[in-house]
Every structure is written in C-alpha cells, then in structure tokens.
Amino acid sequence: MSGESNAYNVSKYGVVALSEGLRRELAPRGIGVSVLCPGVIRTQIMNSRRNLPKRFEGGLPALPTSGPRAEWINMLRERISQGIDPDYVGELVREGVEKDLPYIFTDLEFEPMIEARFAAIKQGFDHIRGRTPKR
C-alpha cells in the first residue's frame, strides 16, 4: 500500500508494474520475476542517514525533535522496532523465488486495504457493465 507521499506512491506502483511486465516478458525464456511487497520490517531504515557519504554532511536538514512530525517519526521508529524479523522475510523471499510466485507478501496487515482498492476498481467496471462501447 502506498503512503502519503505521491513520489513514494508512484515509485511503489512503478516497481510492481515493472515486475509484472518483466514477468510476462521473461517467462518465455524461463526467467521468473517476483515482487516483494513487504509490511513493516524490523530494519534500520529510520537510520538511513548513517549511510550518507561525508561529502554530503549538512546537505539534509536535521530531523525535528518536537512537534507533530517528530511524534510521527518516533511512532514510526517504534513500529519498525517491533516489525517483522528480516530473516523471516528472507525465508519468504527464497521460498517465493523458488516457487516462482509473482507477489511475495510478508503478512496480512494490508490485505483489507488491497481488497477495498480492488472493490473500488471493480465498481468502475460495474458502472459500465451492460453498455456497448461506441466504435
């Protein structure tokens, strides 16, 4: 599921679309493509600044220490610290690749949102069901 950032949303949807396209394109060559759709994984993503090369130090604004954004960051840090074990995710990825699964999910947390999204898409088709397009 996408977040609140449009750029982030586009990149997530783009990776899924690319993976689906590559899967169809490469299947005749015996090459499988799976896309990992992870939930909240216990990683160091909130500490990604640690990887910033020294030449870019000072290039990013400091993270807020108070206010709504700081509270959101702290909530996210806590949620990630209680996230899914990365080794478990690795096992799911291995299994998904071995079984040539198109989608690899880590948990069921976002399934209701996916179902709601597909229901809304289906309503768009239901709206035009029975009509004959003019050609």
Side-chain angles (χ1 to χ4, degrees):
M1 290 303 300
S2 53
E4 295 181 18
S5 163
N6 287 326
Y8 182 73
N9 297 345
V10 168
S11 66
K12 285 188 117 185
Y13 286 123
V15 167
V16 172
L18 176 64
S19 298
E20 290 169 343
L22 285 172
R23 183 174 180 82
R24 284 188 304 276
E25 184 179 325
L26 298 174
R29 296 185 178 119
I31 300 171
V33 177
S34 302
V35 60
L36 174 63
C37 301
V40 179
I41 313 301
R42 194 175 61 238
T43 66
Q44 292 296 315
I45 194 166
M46 295 301 290
N47 299 321
S48 62
R49 290 170 178 244
R50 73 191 186 288
N51 299 318
L52 194 65
K54 291 219 182 280
R55 68 181 182 273
F56 296 121
E57 282 181 5
L60 291 175
L63 293 175
T65 56
S66 63
R69 180 121 170 99
E71 290 173 16
W72 180 83
I73 290 169
N74 289 334
M75 179 278 303
L76 192 55
R77 282 184 199 279
E78 178 60 27
R79 188 150 186 248
I80 290 170
S81 76
Q82 302 299 314
I84 299 167
D85 183 339
D87 289 336
Y88 172 75
V89 176
E91 292 171 18
L92 292 173
V93 169
R94 180 194 47 77
E95 179 182 330
V97 170
E98 287 176 351
K99 292 183 176 184
D100 193 28
L101 300 177
Y103 307 96
I104 302 168
F105 295 97
T106 58
D107 61 285
L108 302 174
E109 178 180 359
F110 298 109
E111 185 177 22
M113 289 176 263
I114 295 292
E115 288 174 345
R117 179 170 180 252
F118 285 144
I121 291 169
K122 178 97 170 55
Q123 283 181 339
F125 285 109
D126 291 343
H127 178 72
I128 61 166
R129 194 165 314 287
R131 295 184 186 187
T132 303
K134 294 181 181 177
R135 306 267 181 213

